[in-house]
Amino acid sequence: MKVIGLTGGIGSGKSTIAGIFEHLGVPVYNSDKSAQKIYFKPEVKKQVIELIGAEAYLTDSSLNKEFIAAAVFSDHQKLEQLNSIIHPAVAKDFKEWKEKQHASYLVKESALLFETGIYKEMDALVLVSADKDLRIERVKKRDHLTEEQVLQRINKQMPEAEKEKLAQFIVSNNERQLVIPQVLKIHQKIVESLEL
Ligand code: ATP
């Protein structure tokens, strides 16, 4: 079964676009949401606590994201160690999910598809693109963050222009072009390529 990677910078509208694929009957795996759940698997939780401390968990079902971010923000080695706990667990979870799906293709949504190198395992890549100012406004509104906090997150991601070079399909989500027709066109092209 082919797997299409769906990515884009913070606030670009990945989840919004993923929802359109779902409406078309395409199963979507959200790597970021799965990663949040995976932190609570007993074997993962044990390793996270050993690495950064019990304060990483607020309750049995909520993460102390600020504490985790602060713990790894200026410690690159710790970030790598945390990634080496979470990423293989997400990969395993994706593999198990994939085996249960029945569809002509699947979509794997991830904010850090390029940054993690996972894009190399995808059969094709869809990039959701939106201007930086618009992304800042969306995330400020959605997550109640300051402009500075959003910029900190944006600056940690790969620049949009680099991503555009690696993607086969681009959805422009600048609120100037309708997105549903763009997704329909991409879906049609993917389905046609599968029939060849
Ligand atoms: P993140 O990487 O932060 O999870 P994302 O790329 O998945 O973000 P979304 O959550 O889909 O982005 O969109 C960010 C915000 O912008 C949401 O509140 C969403 O409702 C809004 N949004 C996305 N696309 C549009 C659009 N075309 N018109 C208006 N609002 C939009």
Side-chain angles (χ1 to χ4, degrees), residues 8-16 109 111 138-139 142-143 173 175:
I10 179 167
S12 58
K14 283 178 300 298
S15 299
T16 307
E109 176 191 346
R138 286 176 182 161
V139 179
R142 187 193 62 188
D143 299 339
N173 187 20
E175 298 172 30

Side-chain angles (χ1 to χ4, degrees), residues 7-18 30 32 109-112 128 130 134-135 137-139 141-143 153 157 172-179:
T7 191
I10 179 167
S12 58
K14 283 178 300 298
S15 299
T16 307
I17 301 305
N30 185 323
D32 309 320
E109 176 191 346
S110 167
L112 300 175
V128 184
L134 191 53
R135 289 163 51 206
E137 284 314 309
R138 286 176 182 161
V139 179
K141 202 165 137 193
R142 187 193 62 188
D143 299 339
R153 287 159 172 76
Q157 299 186 335
S172 167
N173 187 20
N174 275 319
E175 298 172 30
R176 292 192 289 270
Q177 256 174 292
L178 293 172
V179 286

Side-chain angles (χ1 to χ4, degrees), residues 9 15 20 25 28 40 64 67 78 87 117 133 145 168 180:
S15 299
I20 303 173
V28 175
F40 295 92
N64 188 345
F67 178 81
K78 227 172 219 182
H87 291 168
D133 290 348
L145 295 175
Q168 284 74 34
I180 294 175

Side-chain angles (χ1 to χ4, degrees), residues 48-137:
V48 171
I49 290 176
E50 268 168 26
L51 182 68
I52 52 180
E55 286 152 282
Y57 295 88
L58 289 173
T59 66
D60 282 346
S61 59
S62 77
L63 281 178
N64 188 345
K65 288 187 194 168
E66 278 176 21
F67 178 81
I68 297 171
V72 298
F73 190 74
S74 50
D75 190 337
H76 192 70
Q77 204 185 346
K78 227 172 219 182
L79 175 65
E80 300 239 305
Q81 283 173 299
L82 181 64
N83 284 342
S84 71
I85 299 169
I86 305 299
H87 291 168
V90 175
K92 183 172 170 268
D93 186 65
F94 173 71
K95 197 167 167 262
E96 286 166 5
W97 174 86
K98 185 181 167 189
E99 277 159 14
K100 288 185 237 150
Q101 304 308 313
H102 303 281
S104 55
Y105 75 95
L106 310 173
V107 165
K108 186 177 192 184
E109 176 191 346
S110 167
L112 300 175
L113 210 58
F114 291 113
E115 290 85 346
T116 53
I118 291 166
Y119 75 97
K120 292 179 199 152
E121 296 162 23
M122 302 290 106
D123 294 294
L125 298 161
V126 178
L127 174 71
V128 184
S129 144
D131 296 341
K132 198 170 169 180
D133 290 348
L134 191 53
R135 289 163 51 206
I136 293 170
E137 284 314 309

